Amino acid sequence: MLKYYSTTVILHLLNSYNHRMNHFYHPIEVRYGDLDPQGHVNNAKHLTYFEQARIAYLVELGLFTKGHSFMEIGVILADIHITYLAPIYFGEPVKVGVQVVKMGTKSMTWAQNIVDVKTNKELAKGEVILVTYDYKEQKTINIPHEWRETINRFERL
């Protein structure tokens, strides 16, 4: 049976539990348009869900605001791997975890997962590598000091 949960219910459930891997989660509404003909979320949408959560993470940490251009974020996706563990269905309350697990000179490794809010079952997990990038100069740059300090403090790296 298909159940649809309101954002209020999802947020309440999110606040009551955080999955073991991450301490930052972003709720995602599974939309009808995210589904494939088999009735579950299309595999490509997992990438979008991961991206939405990473942007929410940067906003939460004050590293990106509504006034910024996406060209000013200063990161570019270098690599991504996703393991699909279980299907995600329309109306299923899910949250996407974000955690920076490693910072190099110019790159950051992020662990992400998608979790069922009600059961805490991990539905997908992945690793993302982002590289700090100067879009005007078209070259990689060192991770800005402010970003490094803020992320280190938040993640306790």
Side-chain angles (χ1 to χ4, degrees):
M1 175 170 46
L2 178 68
K3 291 185 177 181
Y4 181 78
Y5 297 91
S6 72
T7 302
T8 304
V9 169
I10 291 171
L11 289 174
H12 171 72
L13 291 169
L14 279 173
N15 290 332
S16 66
Y17 179 82
N18 274 335
H19 201 268
R20 69 189 171 278
M21 185 177 88
N22 306 89
H23 61 267
F24 177 87
Y25 278 91
H26 179 67
I28 298 289
E29 179 183 355
V30 177
R31 303 172 313 160
Y32 179 78
D34 296 343
L35 307 179
D36 61 18
Q38 291 75 33
H40 53 70
V41 171
N42 182 282
N43 64 339
K45 288 296 179 180
H46 290 68
L47 297 168
T48 303
Y49 293 175
F50 277 15
E51 180 181 54
Q52 284 179 266
R54 286 193 309 273
I55 296 298
Y57 176 96
L58 293 173
V59 169
E60 179 73 21
L61 270 60
L63 301 173
F64 183 73
T65 63
K66 290 184 179 185
H68 281 107
S69 162
F70 279 104
M71 297 300 287
E72 294 174 5
I73 292 179
V75 292
I76 193 166
L77 181 70
D79 194 28
I80 188 165
H81 298 273
I82 299 176
T83 302
Y84 303 94
L85 302 170
I88 302 170
Y89 297 100
F90 176 71
E92 188 173 0
V94 296
K95 60 184 179 179
V96 179
V98 178
Q99 183 178 14
V100 176
V101 294
K102 180 181 174 189
M103 293 178 68
T105 303
K106 297 181 178 187
S107 67
M108 296 176 277
T109 303
W110 303 56
Q112 293 196 255
N113 64 356
I114 302 174
V115 176
D116 181 301
V117 173
K118 286 186 64 182
T119 66
N120 298 314
K121 179 180 179 183
E122 191 171 45
L123 306 171
K125 62 183 176 179
E127 181 180 273
V128 177
I129 298 176
L130 296 179
V131 175
T132 46
Y133 194 77
D134 183 330
Y135 284 92
K136 291 179 184 171
E137 297 293 323
Q138 297 287 299
K139 65 179 187 177
T140 60
I141 58 173
N142 290 342
I143 297 170
H145 179 74
E146 177 192 3
W147 283 45
R148 184 177 297 282
E149 290 297 314
T150 301
I151 292 169
N152 279 335
R153 187 171 44 254
F154 184 75
E155 297 292 356
R156 298 177 187 93
L157 293 177

